[in-house]
Amino acid sequence: MRFLQGYESLPGVADELKRPDGTLRPVWDPLIRYLASKSPEQLARSFARGDQYLHDTGVYFRQYSGDESTMRDWPLSHVPVIIGQDEWDGLAEGIAQRAELLEKVMADLYGDGELVRDGFLPADLIAQNPEWLRPVVGIKPRSGHYLHFLAFEIGRSPDGSWFVLGDRAQAPSGSGFALENRMATSRVFHDLFPKSNVERLATFFRVFRDAMVGLKGGDGGRVAILTPGQHTDTYYEHAYIARYLGFLLLECEDLKVQDGQLSVRTIAGPEPVSVLWRRLDSRFADPLELDETSALGTPGMVSALRSGAMDLVNCLGSGVLEARALMAFLPRICEHLMGAPLKMSNIATWWCGQDHERAYVLENLERMMIGSAQSTKLPFDIDRTTALGGKFRGEARGPIEDWIAREGKSLVGQEAVTLSTTPAMIDGKLKPRPMVVRVFATRTPDGWAVMPGGYARIGRDGDPTALAMQAGGSVADVWVMSDKAIHADTLTSTASGPLLRRQPGLLPARAADNLFWLGRYAERAEGAVRVLRAWHLRLEEHGTRNVPLVSALGEFLTTFGHDIEDPVPVMLLGHFDASVVCASKVRDRFSTDGWNALNDLSETARKLAAKVTHGDDAARAMTVLLRKTAGFSGLVHDNMFRFLGWRFLTLGRALERADHIAAVLAVLADEATPPGGLDAAVEIGDSVMTHRRRYTIETSRETVIDMLALDRENPRSLLYQIDILREEEEQIAEATAQPRMGEATRRILMLQTMLAVSTSGQISSRRLNRIRRELAGISEALTAQYLS
């Protein structure tokens, strides 16, 4: 097996691939034989399929450097980690026990406080933890449970035993990424995966979704996911999992609390929210009672929890369970609360605030990682504030013994264990790399369910401190492989009754606002591109800017903020960027194809801006952008379902197109327009062929106004856009039970009537400018009525 060449001689080879007796683990045999049967070229093509899927789907993570962050491709390690079903069943049993233990600890810390009172936990350790929230003490969850969704970091020792490295109870991330890893890996091994008896993930997500919906009870409120927003490093996952499970994706500004009831602001008014899957840290959730500096929170969130009007997944304050130091006490607490020892051990941990434990740490410094007791990082996520093997990782602060003696209550020592390795394909060969696995558990009416798999973090080399993606690590799928055939479960269950067509979900006002402005920015960019192409073509034709028409087009562009000294103005790039920002805020409502097309459009504009010159070169670049813009618009128009979100996007497009054509006509169809202005207007209005066929006479102001302002059949005309505005606003008003004649409806109808009864001779430049002001008024009315 050429892929194993040199592998046997490397340290840790037996950890995952081989059993302690040196033989190959049976669950790995099919994959190893598969890899050995493929040529390097075949494997490269297979790996490329997985990478292409991730790229096309838009999976990314944020790479942080100082105060800046950039989106990076998802670093998939293509070879999965494989665990046998029997071994996994034992792990799952230990995970379920640990989840229930954490629930009992959480209930005590925010309830009776017996663990501190009876000496099982030091009072200082809890009181000094910034994640222990005093305002939440005494609040009992409506469901009776504090924890509903947990994650655990587990590792394997080279001897084959598993242990827990960290508990994730605050706002555990990664379940959506685990699903995307599975999707990509199943494409890499498209001919192996279906027959490998790998446990499917859909069952776990279905029971989790059903459990979330079950928390609503009978109050009719909504289930939603609360995200900090697009700038968090896991925002892609929030949007993906919301779309996958069919839940609303909300930010705190979408929510308000009134009379103890949490509700979401929608285009039809406030709607109650009963269950909120919280994906931001607890202390940011409520600036009134928790952190007054938080710009992410919803004022009154704690009062809504206190009133029993909602359930949080997980309850506020659950981050206290993630502290490293808590692991030092969990084994004894488990015996006390559960009547049994931990089925899966912790990494050995000693709190240095106790004399005996501190002495032990001092005696064994060479095999200890020493760091903050309140830190939630894994023992291998070492930073400059820790010591490893008796040495400071950062700048020395005197003898370690003095540091521990001085700050012992704020420090823990944890055993510097060796992680097992898993095979990763490096430069065409399987090589051992350290790994940890994140597994997930959800509460169901029947107890805790554990995801069969999860995702593994793989080190970039043999250094176990370089597992994080921020440090260059990668991630891999985890296959739980059975000896028996696996039922190919899906997220949805088969309906037994007649088909019921469900009504579309709520549209939060923020989502509607972003779709509205996505339409406006995309159309604004297209309008600018059309004028820029016309200007560059005429600049190339005349060779100077001192020609009246070239000058008029240049002044038009300058009026709208475009610096014509740049062949591709920065303002145009800003329009594309603004479109991407708006789309990124509604990723749960936006198609992957549309998202990729929009990003490609923005990236293409930047590449062209870096190399084109004025004149014909820039004109051809504008043509490229127009084609890509048309592709994006076509995807949105043809593929997006005609729910309310699409209607707001369409309103934005129609408003912007109407304003643009009115502005163009006011300048280029003016009585004093320079020679060639009318032809330029027809060209910018994309109506050259139709104009030639319809009007046999020479281009005149009347023909141009008739076609671009008053022709109901021309999708570029002013009246056509107003007709769209009226049709879409009526649909929205009806769906949201608005008054029969709201301000927006009235304004649109008046403008539509005025244009419908006008003749081309009546549409002067002055009237066109008044129409633009009226369009601005319509935009303000729509915003006030639906988006504020």
Side-chain angles (χ1 to χ4, degrees):
M1 295 183 183
R2 59 179 173 274
F3 293 104
L4 293 179
Q5 292 175 1
Y7 189 92
E8 294 85 347
S9 63
L10 294 172
V13 63
D15 299 352
E16 289 300 318
L17 200 60
K18 295 184 178 181
R19 294 181 292 197
D21 63 2
T23 60
L24 184 71
R25 294 181 187 273
V27 293
W28 281 93
D29 185 65
L31 179 62
I32 296 301
R33 291 184 181 276
Y34 176 89
L35 292 173
S37 70
K38 302 293 184 181
S39 69
E41 294 76 19
Q42 288 173 317
L43 280 180
R45 287 195 296 270
S46 295
F47 293 167
R49 278 197 301 269
D51 294 337
Q52 189 63 48
Y53 166 80
L54 294 169
H55 176 77
D56 291 345
T57 309
V59 187
Y60 69 90
F61 78 101
R62 285 195 173 275
Q63 180 79 49
Y64 291 95
S65 177
D67 295 331
E68 298 182 352
S69 68
T70 55
M71 292 192 299
R72 299 292 188 188
D73 291 338
W74 189 245
L76 179 68
S77 181
H78 303 93
V79 179
V81 174
I82 303 180
I83 302 173
Q85 181 71 65
D86 291 342
E87 183 178 18
W88 183 262
D89 288 345
L91 290 175
E93 190 176 336
I95 292 297
Q97 182 210 43
R98 192 175 187 90
E100 192 57 31
L101 172 62
L102 293 181
E103 167 70 28
K104 291 180 180 294
V105 173
M106 179 81 175
D108 180 81
L109 292 178
Y110 289 100
D112 296 335
E114 294 179 355
L115 291 175
V116 170
R117 186 191 64 198
D118 297 341
F120 289 93
L121 280 173
D124 287 354
L125 199 63
I126 303 303
Q128 293 176 8
N129 190 320
E131 297 299 335
W132 184 70
L133 305 179
R134 188 178 296 275
V136 184
V137 173
I139 298 178
K140 295 184 177 180
R142 183 176 69 168
S143 66
H145 299 291
Y146 290 83
L147 305 176
H148 299 271
F149 191 86
L150 298 169
F152 302 90
E153 308 281 1
I154 64 174
R156 193 207 288 264
S157 295
D159 65 7
S161 61
W162 290 90
F163 52 90
V164 176
L165 292 159
D167 303 302
R168 296 291 175 253
Q170 172 77 272
S173 64
S175 59
F177 289 130
L179 191 58
E180 285 288 41
N181 288 342
R182 173 62 53 86
M183 297 293 289
T185 306
S186 66
R187 281 164 170 74
V188 172
F189 302 104
H190 65 98
D191 49 350
L192 175 68
F193 180 81
K195 55 187 179 185
S196 293
N197 297 335
V198 178
E199 289 281 357
R200 303 304 196 254
L201 304 182
T203 301
F204 175 82
F205 285 102
R206 178 160 48 78
V207 298
F208 170 63
R209 181 198 60 192
D210 293 347
M212 291 272 284
V213 173
L215 290 176
K216 291 197 311 180
D219 64 4
R222 299 287 175 146
V223 179
I225 298 174
L226 180 62
T227 175
Q230 61 172 330
H231 296 297
T232 187
D233 55 353
T234 53
Y235 177 73
Y236 170 84
E237 186 204 14
H238 302 168
Y240 174 79
I241 208 73
R243 188 165 57 238
Y244 182 67
L245 297 176
F247 296 152
L248 288 172
L249 182 65
L250 305 177
E251 297 182 26
C252 281
E253 66 184 83
D254 294 321
L255 298 166
K256 70 174 183 178
V257 177
Q258 189 170 3
D259 299 326
Q261 174 65 59
L262 182 70
S263 61
V264 54
R265 297 181 176 95
T266 77
I267 59 173
E271 292 286 343
V273 174
S274 296
V275 183
L276 202 58
W277 185 9
R278 174 177 60 83
R279 303 303 299 270
L280 79 164
D281 289 354
S282 298
R283 63 182 182 276
F284 299 132
D286 186 346
L288 282 182
E289 297 199 49
L290 301 178
D291 184 349
E292 64 182 11
T293 66
S294 172
L296 301 175
T298 299
M301 182 78 76
V302 173
S303 69
L305 192 63
R306 189 179 290 122
S307 72
M310 60 171 292
D311 267 309
L312 272 177
V313 177
N314 293 318
C315 267
L316 297 176
S318 56
V320 68
L321 301 174
E322 297 186 358
R324 282 175 178 164
L326 191 62
M327 285 191 167
F329 304 94
L330 282 181
R332 183 168 173 240
I333 291 173
C334 187
E335 295 271 8
H336 173 65
L337 295 180
M338 308 286 286
L342 284 170
K343 294 181 179 180
M344 187 184 301
S345 300
N346 295 325
I347 182 174
T349 305
W350 298 267
W351 179 50
C352 296
Q354 298 167 298
D355 293 339
H356 181 270
E357 285 72 13
R358 182 169 60 252
Y360 182 85
V361 170
L362 288 170
E363 291 171 5
N364 296 274
L365 288 177
E366 71 283 351
R367 60 186 187 90
M368 290 281 174
M369 188 289 297
I370 303 169
S372 169
Q374 304 295 359
S375 174
T376 62
K377 293 183 177 180
L378 296 185
F380 307 106
D381 292 336
I382 296 172
D383 56 31
R384 296 177 61 83
T385 65
T386 60
L388 180 65
K391 298 180 180 179
F392 283 108
R393 298 290 289 185
E395 185 177 341
R397 286 164 287 174
I400 290 180
E401 293 83 357
D402 293 349
W403 178 48
I404 295 174
R406 184 175 64 251
E407 302 179 26
K409 286 188 177 183
S410 64
L411 299 174
V412 292
Q414 292 185 295
E415 186 177 4
V417 297
T418 300
L419 286 174
S420 71
T421 59
T422 192
M425 191 67 74
I426 309 294
D427 298 327
K429 292 183 180 180
L430 285 179
K431 296 183 180 180
R433 290 292 181 263
M435 64 111 190
V436 296
V437 176
R438 175 170 288 197
V439 297
F440 303 90
T442 183
R443 180 182 296 281
T444 75
D446 300 321
W448 289 92
V450 179
M451 179 191 290
Y455 77 87
R457 288 201 289 166
I458 311 296
R460 67 182 177 187
D461 48 36
D463 183 3
T465 66
L467 289 169
M469 287 185 290
Q470 299 293 332
S474 57
V475 294
D477 191 13
V478 178
W479 290 6
V480 175
M481 193 174 291
S482 174
D483 294 331
K484 303 176 182 178
I486 297 298
H487 172 61
D489 200 0
T490 64
L491 185 66
T492 57
S493 55
T494 303
S496 57
L499 172 66
L500 295 177
R501 176 174 290 174
R502 298 186 181 277
Q503 292 299 312
L506 295 177
L507 181 61
R510 180 186 56 84
D513 188 51
N514 279 293
L515 287 165
F516 176 75
W517 279 99
L518 169 59
R520 296 204 69 165
Y521 282 125
E523 191 63 35
R524 191 173 295 179
E526 180 182 341
V529 167
R530 290 186 178 279
V531 179
L532 279 163
R533 184 173 66 169
W535 181 71
H536 281 295
L537 285 173
R538 283 151 182 82
L539 181 63
E540 179 72 16
E541 177 185 355
H542 296 286
T544 177
R545 300 183 186 185
N546 297 324
V547 174
L549 180 57
V550 178
S551 178
L553 287 168
E555 289 177 9
F556 181 93
L557 288 165
T558 303
T559 299
F560 283 88
H562 297 281
D563 184 356
I564 57 176
E565 296 305 316
D566 295 325
V568 181
V570 173
M571 177 67 75
L572 175 62
L573 302 179
H575 293 336
F576 287 125
D577 290 344
S579 301
V580 172
V581 169
C582 289
S584 70
K585 293 180 179 179
V586 287
R587 283 296 304 275
D588 57 316
R589 298 173 181 273
F590 208 67
S591 75
T592 298
D593 288 336
W595 170 254
N596 288 335
L598 186 57
N599 273 282
D600 178 56
L601 181 55
S602 181
E603 291 171 7
T604 300
R606 290 200 170 275
K607 291 176 182 177
L608 291 172
K611 63 181 183 180
V612 301
T613 57
H614 285 84
D616 184 62
D617 192 30
R620 281 182 284 144
M622 295 303 119
T623 299
V624 170
L625 293 179
L626 278 179
R627 289 171 184 165
K628 288 182 177 286
T629 301
F632 167 71
S633 298
L635 279 170
V636 170
H637 185 79
D638 291 340
N639 297 348
M640 197 169 176
F641 205 85
R642 269 42 173 180
F643 283 161
L644 292 175
W646 180 86
R647 300 192 186 283
F648 276 97
L649 188 146
T650 303
L651 283 177
R653 289 185 65 195
L655 265 173
E656 198 65 39
R657 183 170 289 189
D659 181 73
H660 177 258
I661 200 63
V664 167
L665 291 174
V667 173
L668 297 182
D670 186 68
E671 296 290 351
T673 186
L678 294 173
D679 290 326
V682 175
E683 177 188 317
I684 292 168
D686 198 22
S687 302
V688 174
M689 291 178 61
T690 305
H691 187 275
R692 287 174 182 170
R693 286 198 304 266
R694 178 171 297 181
Y695 305 103
T696 58
I697 62 174
E698 184 178 310
T699 303
S700 67
R701 186 177 188 281
E702 287 71 22
T703 62
V704 171
I705 293 293
D706 183 61
M707 173 157 283
L708 295 181
L710 304 179
D711 191 337
R712 272 205 157 103
E713 305 302 319
N714 182 2
R716 292 280 169 184
S717 79
L718 184 53
L719 182 54
Y720 187 95
Q721 308 311 316
I722 307 306
D723 288 344
I724 289 177
L725 287 177
R726 183 177 180 187
E727 179 183 351
E728 299 305 332
E729 198 278 333
E730 283 182 347
Q731 293 280 351
I732 294 170
E734 181 179 352
T736 56
Q738 296 293 317
R740 179 176 174 274
M741 188 63 72
E743 177 66 10
T745 305
R746 186 184 65 81
R747 282 178 170 268
I748 293 171
L749 181 58
M750 290 176 63
L751 181 55
Q752 183 186 42
T753 303
M754 184 274 288
L755 285 170
V757 301
S758 294
T759 64
S760 28
Q762 294 173 322
I763 306 297
S764 63
S765 293
R766 179 176 295 180
R767 176 168 283 193
L768 286 164
N769 286 321
R770 285 205 303 269
I771 288 172
R772 292 191 66 207
R773 290 193 292 272
E774 185 55 37
L775 288 167
I778 290 172
S779 178
E780 292 172 359
L782 289 169
T783 299
Q785 191 163 336
Y786 299 108
L787 307 178
S788 296

